[in-house]
Amino acid sequence: MANKSPQVQSISDAFRVNPDGFDLAKVDPDATPVGPRSKTEAAADMVKIGAELDALQEALYAEGTGGGQRRVLLVLQGMDTSGKGGTIRHVAGLVNPQGLRIASFKKPTRAELRHDFLWRIRRQVPHPGYIGVFDRSHYEDVLVARVDNLVPSTEWRRRYRQINAFEAELAGQGVTVVKCFLHISPERQRERLIARLEDPLKRWKYNPGDLEVRSKFSRYQLAYQDALVKCSTPDAPWFVVPSDRKWYRNWVVASVLLETLRDLTPRYPEPTYDPQVELARLREADPLR
Amino acid sequence: MANKSPQVQSISDAFRVNPDGFDLAKVDPDATPVGPRSKTEAAADMVKIGAELDALQEALYAEGTGGGQRRVLLVLQGMDTSGKGGTIRHVAGLVNPQGLRIASFKKPTRAELRHDFLWRIRRQVPHPGYIGVFDRSHYEDVLVARVDNLVPSTEWRRRYRQINAFEAELAGQGVTVVKCFLHISPERQRERLIARLEDPLKRWKYNPGDLEVRSKFSRYQLAYQDALVKCSTPDAPWFVVPSDRKWYRNWVVASVLLETLRDLTPRYPEPTYDPQVELARLREADPLR
């Protein structure tokens, strides 16, 4: 990656945005700078990642039942066909669905537009113990809102600070925010749009407006560049995930999520009762024996 | 099963409650009346079930994006340790988490108690295209509410009709309701409670109140008997799932869910655009080439 630190200490470090001098145009969407060299290698790695993620997620959930406030919010952003849905299937699909809360943010409804842009987002913040996944997010309000001039520039310019304040507030509540930009090339997008149109089982994923959005590809890249630089904070870092190869994209997001949960080291709560007393009740005083 | 029909046409038929003469006390929680004879056989079957479920769920989701109103609601009920959580992990975990909406109903909060008992339930009904899973449900309001006298008997007696009316209303909206009672023996519950207490990683799942509930096991069975008989309707059938063996429980619920989705035969929506026109736009008029 153009922006990697000289000494990579973790997989996440290789993809974390360092706002100083970051240039999205220099990041290759087809790069595979660390990790598996092939789809086969990645698949084997995903099995191990899945087992560890699953165990950590259960501990996080258990911690939440004991009064812990911590939780994780994975934000996914990217152009059409970059693979937000595929990432949810293959990465979020690695853990127990009971501990997941997935929220998709589409074009705001009229009811949603009557509120501040963060209103609908706040309602979907995961509860303690959960891993929340946002399929698109409040970042749309500095992306499509900017590219399509849905609000005056004074308005969207103000939102970067509002987003940073909101994410800092989340951090204060125990929410670890991890944001992944699924970075795809216009060439790969073209291939995937054609594939959607050619396969009758994929046509529902396409709509003619996708080509309008595609025609603004470079303006979106500039909007992403600003969002990535202005909203990469220690509380809520952005990761740029090379997404031209689906297997690599899934491996990177899974690895970043795994390292996030490892850093949290969720803890099973201490029982608030005496297990030996309860065992004795069941073994010696069980009315149903 | 004590209540199986003379000619079993489907797996579901073997477990569906026929209210005429149904007697829960005659259903063996350890039975394996149809299907795999071992855990190994079940595991192999689950791989096939998973692949078909996943494909059907994607079609249902696609249908929903095209304006279809249909959706599925799987209601899970059962005594502690009967495996509601395990069923969600192993059955709901077979499909794309993006198409799932899981809701857990715990002891009602004060805010929830200020409303009608169905109020919090209505808020969690899955949207079109989704598979919703209820971990406990409105049935708690004729189970614990009855056993613990939380409301006068005139009140809980009225609720069976209210539940049937509510579920008929859901059916009218396109919601296919499938209700599974995970039937476990008191002996197996005892073993599992002991296992929870002996394993430090499982102690968080236990609380001393579980033994109070256990001491009312037979009263709960009577309350389930009534709920199963009074609320088994063509719109929203109950299935009694022998749950003393986890692998069999998972296989039965997965099979019932699969047959439900097969019966729905969800359809990919017809595109509202001309795919050939769009392909031409991408191939010949793409500004990004």
Side-chain angles (χ1 to χ4, degrees):
Chain A
M1 311 284 295
N3 309 282
K4 74 181 166 197
S5 48
Q7 289 178 302
V8 171
Q9 279 124 18
S10 69
I11 296 165
S12 305
D13 286 342
F15 304 100
R16 189 182 290 107
V17 171
N18 174 357
D20 298 332
F22 174 81
D23 185 355
L24 180 59
K26 294 203 178 115
V27 183
D28 179 3
D30 197 41
T32 55
V34 295
R37 316 294 306 193
S38 69
K39 195 171 169 173
T40 316
E41 265 184 56
D45 219 9
M46 287 294 269
V47 174
K48 285 183 228 161
I49 292 173
E52 193 179 345
L53 257 185
D54 191 43
L56 285 164
Q57 184 264 332
E58 175 158 307
L60 182 67
Y61 188 86
E63 184 184 280
T65 65
Q69 292 300 304
R70 299 192 299 172
R71 44 211 129 147
V72 171
L73 173 58
L74 175 66
V75 172
L76 298 176
Q77 284 285 161
M79 301 294 289
D80 286 331
T81 78
S82 61
K84 298 179 289 295
T87 302
I88 292 175
R89 172 188 280 272
H90 295 287
V91 179
L94 295 171
V95 306
N96 186 344
Q98 201 163 19
L100 276 179
R101 284 298 176 266
I102 298 168
S104 294
F105 295 97
K106 309 208 189 298
K107 196 179 155 188
T109 62
R110 268 200 283 178
E112 288 170 345
L113 286 172
R114 278 197 292 270
H115 296 86
D116 174 68
F117 76 103
L118 292 172
W119 178 80
R120 64 176 186 158
I121 307 295
R122 289 179 187 276
R123 291 159 55 98
Q124 302 284 353
V125 171
H127 289 191
Y130 284 86
I131 297 176
V133 182
F134 281 2
D135 175 3
R136 303 187 189 268
S137 66
H138 43 299
Y139 283 93
E140 291 297 322
D141 297 288
V142 291
L143 294 164
V144 62
R146 167 179 171 168
V147 171
D148 284 352
N149 300 303
L150 303 182
V151 294
S153 73
T154 49
E155 172 63 24
W156 58 257
R157 283 180 200 283
R158 191 185 305 139
R159 288 179 176 170
Y160 300 109
R161 271 195 317 274
Q162 292 173 321
I163 289 173
N164 287 342
F166 168 61
E167 293 177 353
E169 179 193 320
L170 291 181
Q173 288 163 4
V175 185
T176 298
V177 182
V178 178
K179 302 176 295 195
C180 288
F181 170 57
L182 308 183
H183 186 37
I184 190 183
S185 66
E187 296 74 27
R188 188 54 53 98
Q189 186 188 55
R190 184 170 179 274
E191 288 170 23
R192 292 188 185 164
L193 287 170
I194 289 174
R196 284 186 180 178
L197 285 162
E198 286 180 334
D199 182 348
L201 297 190
K202 287 186 178 168
R203 284 182 185 151
W204 64 279
K205 295 186 182 185
Y206 178 92
N207 87 70
D210 294 350
L211 289 196
E212 265 63 65
V213 179
R214 173 170 165 79
S215 71
K216 301 167 196 164
F217 206 101
S218 59
R219 283 198 272 156
Y220 271 100
Q221 300 299 297
L222 290 177
Y224 270 112
Q225 163 78 24
D226 271 2
L228 295 169
V229 168
K230 291 179 196 290
C231 300
S232 281
T233 60
D235 278 340
W238 267 110
F239 298 88
V240 176
V241 178
S243 298
D244 271 8
R245 303 178 202 221
K246 293 176 182 177
W247 59 267
Y248 195 70
R249 172 200 74 206
N250 294 340
W251 178 84
V252 171
V253 178
S255 299
V256 168
L257 185 60
L258 175 59
E259 291 183 345
T260 301
L261 277 156
R262 273 189 196 151
D263 285 350
L264 279 182
T265 55
R267 299 217 182 129
Y268 284 90
E270 285 300 312
T272 53
Y273 56 85
D274 183 339
Q276 298 315 319
V277 168
E278 299 302 314
L279 279 166
R281 283 176 75 195
L282 260 167
R283 289 195 168 125
E284 289 144 36
D286 182 13
L288 293 190
R289 278 202 94 181
Chain B
M1 313 284 294
N3 309 283
K4 74 181 166 196
S5 49
Q7 289 179 303
V8 171
Q9 279 123 19
S10 69
I11 296 165
S12 305
D13 287 342
F15 304 100
R16 189 183 290 104
V17 171
N18 174 358
D20 299 332
F22 174 81
D23 186 355
L24 180 59
K26 294 205 177 114
V27 183
D28 179 2
D30 197 40
T32 56
V34 295
R37 315 294 305 193
S38 69
K39 195 171 170 174
T40 316
E41 266 184 58
D45 219 10
M46 288 293 270
V47 173
K48 287 183 226 161
I49 292 173
E52 193 180 344
L53 257 185
D54 191 43
L56 286 163
Q57 183 264 332
E58 176 158 305
L60 182 68
Y61 187 87
E63 184 184 282
T65 65
Q69 291 300 305
R70 299 193 298 170
R71 47 211 127 147
V72 171
L73 172 58
L74 175 65
V75 172
L76 298 177
Q77 283 286 160
M79 302 294 289
D80 285 332
T81 77
S82 62
K84 299 178 290 292
T87 303
I88 293 175
R89 171 188 282 271
H90 295 286
V91 179
L94 294 170
V95 307
N96 187 343
Q98 201 161 19
L100 277 180
R101 285 296 177 266
I102 297 168
S104 295
F105 296 97
K106 310 209 188 296
K107 196 179 156 187
T109 62
R110 268 200 283 179
E112 287 169 346
L113 285 172
R114 279 198 291 270
H115 296 86
D116 174 69
F117 77 102
L118 292 171
W119 178 79
R120 64 176 187 160
I121 306 296
R122 288 180 187 276
R123 292 159 56 99
Q124 301 284 352
V125 171
H127 290 191
Y130 284 85
I131 297 176
V133 182
F134 281 2
D135 175 2
R136 304 187 188 267
S137 67
H138 43 301
Y139 283 93
E140 292 296 324
D141 297 289
V142 292
L143 294 165
V144 62
R146 167 180 171 167
V147 172
D148 284 351
N149 300 303
L150 302 182
V151 295
S153 73
T154 50
E155 172 63 24
W156 60 256
R157 283 181 200 283
R158 191 185 305 138
R159 288 180 177 170
Y160 300 109
R161 276 195 314 276
Q162 292 173 322
I163 288 174
N164 287 343
F166 168 62
E167 292 178 355
E169 180 193 319
L170 291 181
Q173 288 164 3
V175 185
T176 298
V177 181
V178 179
K179 302 175 294 195
C180 288
F181 169 56
L182 309 183
H183 186 37
I184 190 183
S185 64
E187 295 73 27
R188 190 53 54 96
Q189 186 188 56
R190 183 170 181 274
E191 286 170 23
R192 291 189 185 163
L193 287 172
I194 289 174
R196 283 186 181 178
L197 285 163
E198 285 179 336
D199 182 347
L201 297 190
K202 287 186 177 166
R203 285 182 184 151
W204 64 278
K205 295 186 182 184
Y206 178 92
N207 86 70
D210 294 350
L211 288 195
E212 264 64 65
V213 179
R214 172 170 165 79
S215 70
K216 301 167 196 164
F217 205 98
S218 59
R219 284 198 273 155
Y220 270 101
Q221 299 300 296
L222 290 177
Y224 269 113
Q225 162 77 24
D226 271 2
L228 295 169
V229 168
K230 290 180 196 290
C231 300
S232 280
T233 61
D235 278 340
W238 267 111
F239 298 88
V240 176
V241 179
S243 298
D244 270 9
R245 301 176 203 224
K246 294 176 183 177
W247 59 267
Y248 194 71
R249 171 199 75 206
N250 293 339
W251 178 83
V252 171
V253 178
S255 298
V256 168
L257 185 61
L258 175 60
E259 290 183 346
T260 301
L261 277 156
R262 273 188 196 151
D263 285 350
L264 280 181
T265 55
R267 299 215 183 130
Y268 283 90
E270 285 300 312
T272 53
Y273 56 86
D274 182 339
Q276 298 314 318
V277 170
E278 298 302 314
L279 278 166
R281 285 175 75 195
L282 258 167
R283 288 193 169 127
E284 289 144 36
D286 182 12
L288 293 191
R289 277 202 95 181

